[in-house]
C-alpha cells in the first residue's frame, strides 16, 4: 500500500517516524490512555521504538495504515489514528489523543479524514469501518458518534487488555452512511 499524508485545517496526519519516539512514549505513559487501550502499561521507550520501526511500516505494507496526528506538518505528535484491515473491504479504526489536545475537535477531524480516505476508490476502497472500545470509554464513543458511526451493541468480554477480557462497545460506519451524528447510541 502507498503511504499517504492527510490534512484539513489544523489537523495533519502522517506516519510516525523515529524522531517521534519520545513524544509517543510520553503520551502513552499517561494513565488515561493506558486505561482505554491495549498498549503495554507501563509504556516504555522500547515499546515506542518497536511501534515506529516495526509495527507502523508492516501495517502500511498490509493495508493497516497508522498516522500520527499533529497540528502542522512539523508539529509534535498529539495522538495516533490507524486502521487495521479485517479483509479487503473492511477495517477497524483505533485512535488516542494526548490529554492536552482533547476537546478541540482534532480527533473528530482526523477520524473524518481517515474514513474519507478509506472509503475512496482511489484510497482503500473499503465498504465498512468498525469502531470498538471498552465499555465506558465515553470520549472515544463521542468522537465515533459525531462522525456518524452507528452503535451495534455490546460484546461481552469482547476485547483483551493486558491479559484480562473486558466488555466492549461496537459501532460501524458504512461507505454510504451519512456523516452526521448518529442517533442510535445508548445514553
Amino acid at each position: 500500500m502507498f503511504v499517504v499524508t492527510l490534512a484539513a485545517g489544523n489537523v495533519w496526519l502522517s506516519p510516525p517516524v523515529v524522531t517521534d519516539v519520545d513524544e509517543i512514549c510520553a503520551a502513552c505513559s499517561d494513565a488515561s490512555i493506558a486505561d482505554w487501550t491495549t498498549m503495554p502499561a507501563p509504556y516504555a521507550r522500547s515499546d515506542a521504538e518497536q511501534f515506529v520501526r516495526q509495527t507502523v511500516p508492516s501495517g502500511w505494507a498490509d493495508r493497516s495504515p497508522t498516522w500520527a496526528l499533529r497540528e502542522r506538518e512539523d508539529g509534535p505528535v498529539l495522538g495516533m489514528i490507524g486502521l487495521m484491515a479485517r479483509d479487503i473491504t473492511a477495517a477497524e479504526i483505533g485512535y488516542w489523543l494526548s490529554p492536552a489536545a482533547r476537546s478541540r475537535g482534532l480527533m473528530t477531524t482526523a477520524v473524518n479524514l481517515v474514513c474519507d480516505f478509506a472509503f475512496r476508490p482511489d484510497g482503500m476502497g473499503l465498504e465498512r469501518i468498525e469502531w470498538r472500545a471498552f465499555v465506558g470509554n465515553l470520549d472515544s464513543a463521542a468522537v465515533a458518534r459525531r462522525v456518524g458511526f452507528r452503535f451495534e451493541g455490546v460484546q461481552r468480554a469482547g476485547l483483551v487488555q493486558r491479559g484480562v477480557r473486558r466488555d466492549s462497545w461496537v459501532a460501524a460506519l458504512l461507505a454510504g452512511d451519512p456523516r452526521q451524528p448518529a442517533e442510535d447510541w445508548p445514553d
Side-chain angles (χ1 to χ4, degrees), residues 29 35-36 50 63 70-71 77 88-89 97 105 122 169 172 182:
S29 295
D35 287 347
W36 299 115
Q50 179 179 345
R63 292 181 49 89
R70 309 166 197 278
E71 288 188 286
V77 174
I88 193 75
T89 62
L97 193 61
D122 65 336
W169 286 326

Side-chain angles (χ1 to χ4, degrees), residues 13 17 30 32 35 57 71 88 102 111 120 124 128 130:
L13 302 178
V17 294
D30 186 271
S32 67
D35 287 347
E71 288 188 286
I88 193 75
R102 294 179 187 159
V111 171
R120 283 192 343 237
M124 295 177 69
R128 174 184 167 90
E130 187 173 292

Side-chain angles (χ1 to χ4, degrees), residues 40-159:
Y43 195 86
R45 189 174 201 286
S46 60
D47 295 318
E49 288 175 347
Q50 179 179 345
F51 174 72
V52 169
R53 292 180 190 274
Q54 296 172 11
T55 305
V56 171
S58 67
W60 279 92
D62 293 334
R63 292 181 49 89
S64 294
T66 298
W67 294 268
L69 188 155
R70 309 166 197 278
E71 288 188 286
R72 59 185 189 280
E73 182 176 4
D74 61 345
V77 174
L78 302 176
M80 206 66 58
I81 184 167
L83 294 168
M84 181 171 34
R86 293 288 181 221
D87 58 46
I88 193 75
T89 62
E92 180 180 334
I93 195 166
Y95 45 85
W96 60 259
L97 193 61
S98 62
R102 294 179 187 159
S103 300
R104 296 176 21 213
L106 299 172
M107 190 53 74
T108 300
T109 299
V111 171
N112 272 307
L113 281 168
V114 169
C115 290
D116 289 346
F117 167 74
F119 287 137
R120 283 192 343 237
D122 65 336
M124 295 177 69
L126 298 183
E127 296 173 14
R128 174 184 167 90
I129 300 174
E130 187 173 292
W131 166 90
R132 296 194 312 158
F134 295 120
V135 169
N137 190 342
L138 300 176
D139 291 338
S140 183
V143 170
R145 182 185 175 280
R146 276 193 300 272
V147 171
F149 280 77
R150 304 299 187 263
F151 187 78
E152 295 182 338
V154 175
Q155 289 182 319
R156 296 177 307 136
L159 291 172

